[in-house]
Amino acid sequence: MKIEIATAVPYQVTVENGIIDRVGELAAELERPGAKAMLVSESNVFPLYGQRVKDSLESAGFRVSEFLFPAGESSKQIATVCDIYRALSENGFTRSDFIVTLGGGVTGDMGGFAAATFLRGISFLQIPTSLLAQVDASVGGKTGVDLPFGKNLVGAFHQPRAVVTDPQTLNTLPEHYFHDGMGEVIKYGCISDLALLEQLEKGIKPVDLEEIIIRCVSSKKKLVEEDTRDKGRRMILNFGHTFGHAVEKLHHFQELAHGEAVGIGMVLAAGVGEKLGITRAGTAERIRKVLVQYGLPVEDCFSKEEIIEATALDKKSDGETLQLILLKEIGESIIYPIHRSQLLCVME
């Protein structure tokens, strides 16, 4: 299945079992013959798929170098990107060469940011191997790293040349990370796809995953094409993220995975919407139940005051006003400006 993302420079998301072994073939349609490719990956994923990707690229005539970093959100920082720059420089990369990211959201975000900024921009291909990256992070051109005081505060919009998604890579995904990815899948059902949420409530089987990936990417495609720079309707993709990023920050980006934090954030946001009379009563409980069904947490140990204070550097804020994403009901979402002081009163 090929999904065309019609941004200023269009690209395709290809979802196909086994396609990881044809990365070189796809790259050859896009990149200069004989170009250098830097394979950016992490310590958990590379031993599983790195050699297969490298062999495929080399068979297509590309000269491949490798950059590996320790797996985990703690590596998603400027220092690691500087190490990528060094590897690119030492291997003589030019603007005619490219990066290939192999891994989850951390790998794609960080490798994409290196591509966006090295020599003021070189191209990159994404090979997402986690459910979270396949349904969400690999599409849309958001790249970046975390700072000690906030998530994804440094970055750039830089669309990939292609996204190569092989659902079979999920067979080796630890259960914890599968559940983490389900947080983003549930988000898509909440913001724009009631039928998807209903399917999730009935339970999914492994054979459903390819369809779910395609469904989520197709939903994001419409928003990305309409709002490339994330300043309008595309912001609904951040349902649960304002509170979720705050909770991640309070955990110092450790212990709690992104999808888990977003799940907690969705319950909080739905609760706020219900108290404001915007969200249909019972929505927060419905979201809570489906999160529990897929092994995701629905609350955290921090107080409402601590969570609101931790939203201070949220990218969707305008001074003391947050652009909070709320639901009218499952499948219908809005952007709701709210002052932090009002939010604190609502959440008490």
Side-chain angles (χ1 to χ4, degrees):
M1 175 72 176
K2 294 182 182 294
I3 303 167
E4 183 89 4
I5 311 295
T7 47
V9 178
Y11 58 96
Q12 286 186 336
V13 179
T14 305
V15 183
E16 181 183 317
N17 287 319
I19 199 171
I20 199 167
D21 293 311
R22 294 200 295 110
V23 170
E25 176 186 325
L26 296 179
E29 298 174 2
L30 302 169
E31 302 295 342
R32 176 179 61 87
K36 295 174 183 174
M38 177 65 72
L39 180 56
V40 174
S41 190
E42 44 101 316
S43 55
N44 288 339
V45 172
F46 186 85
L48 297 171
Y49 302 109
Q51 193 60 49
R52 289 168 63 181
V53 172
K54 186 176 181 181
D55 289 347
S56 180
L57 289 166
E58 289 178 340
S59 294
F62 297 110
R63 293 169 286 168
V64 184
S65 304
E66 304 164 13
F67 178 86
L68 305 184
F69 63 91
E73 187 80 23
S74 60
S75 289
K76 191 180 170 183
Q77 54 183 292
I78 291 288
T80 311
V81 175
C82 287
D83 289 339
I84 298 175
Y85 294 152
R86 183 178 295 107
L88 292 166
S89 298
E90 290 174 350
N91 284 278
F93 272 62
T94 70
R95 287 182 177 174
S96 298
D97 302 314
F98 63 102
I99 285 173
V100 178
T101 62
L102 173 68
V106 170
T107 305
D109 282 3
M110 194 161 58
F113 181 56
T117 49
F118 185 73
L119 302 178
R120 296 194 174 94
I122 64 175
S123 67
F124 80 112
L125 280 71
Q126 291 237 48
I127 310 174
T129 59
S130 71
L131 181 60
L132 189 149
Q134 291 183 359
V135 300
D136 188 74
S138 63
V139 180
K142 284 186 177 181
T143 70
V145 295
D146 302 333
L147 297 180
F149 36 86
K151 187 176 174 70
N152 294 330
L153 291 183
V154 173
F157 287 94
H158 190 54
Q159 303 292 344
R161 288 279 275 162
V163 179
V164 182
T165 296
D166 188 339
Q168 288 182 343
T169 60
L170 301 180
N171 294 337
T172 54
L173 194 66
E175 187 176 10
H176 173 75
Y177 292 104
F178 177 81
H179 290 160
D180 179 40
M182 286 304 300
E184 289 286 356
V185 174
I186 292 165
K187 176 200 76 177
Y188 278 101
C190 289
I191 63 171
S192 62
D193 195 340
L194 172 61
L196 173 59
L197 192 80
E198 290 173 340
Q199 181 182 357
L200 296 175
E201 288 173 325
K202 293 174 183 175
I204 61 169
K205 303 179 287 296
V207 294
D208 299 325
L209 283 176
E210 185 172 352
E211 177 196 342
I212 285 172
I213 293 165
I214 292 168
R215 194 159 187 160
C216 291
V217 171
S218 298
S219 292
K220 188 167 188 179
K221 157 191 163 68
K222 299 171 187 175
L223 294 164
V224 167
E225 291 173 347
E226 175 187 329
D227 181 16
T228 305
R229 306 290 294 185
D230 196 23
K231 292 184 176 181
R233 184 66 179 162
R234 178 177 173 175
M235 284 197 288
I236 69 168
L237 289 166
N238 291 307
F239 176 59
H241 285 61
T242 294
F243 296 131
H245 285 168
V247 170
E248 285 185 274
K249 177 183 173 182
L250 290 168
H251 280 277
H252 305 290
F253 307 108
Q254 298 174 359
E255 302 168 353
L256 196 70
H258 176 69
E260 294 175 323
V262 167
I264 293 168
M266 287 191 289
V267 173
L268 288 171
V272 167
E274 289 185 27
K275 289 182 179 179
L276 289 169
I278 293 167
T279 304
R280 174 177 288 184
T283 299
E285 182 58 27
R286 186 175 182 184
I287 294 171
R288 178 188 292 267
K289 285 181 178 177
V290 76
L291 288 167
V292 170
Q293 183 179 345
Y294 289 97
L296 289 158
V298 293
E299 57 187 6
D300 199 57
C301 59
F302 293 98
S303 69
K304 305 291 195 302
E305 291 82 2
E306 288 173 309
I307 292 172
I308 292 172
E309 183 180 351
T311 66
L313 284 175
D314 185 84
K315 299 184 295 303
K316 299 169 292 304
S317 64
D318 179 13
E320 285 297 307
T321 300
L322 286 169
Q323 303 297 320
L324 195 62
I325 311 305
L326 300 178
L327 303 180
K328 288 188 175 180
E329 58 184 355
I330 298 295
E332 186 178 355
S333 45
I334 63 167
I335 302 167
Y336 187 84
I338 186 169
H339 195 277
R340 281 190 180 82
S341 60
Q342 180 189 2
L343 183 59
L344 183 57
C345 292
V346 171
M347 293 178 72
E348 284 180 343

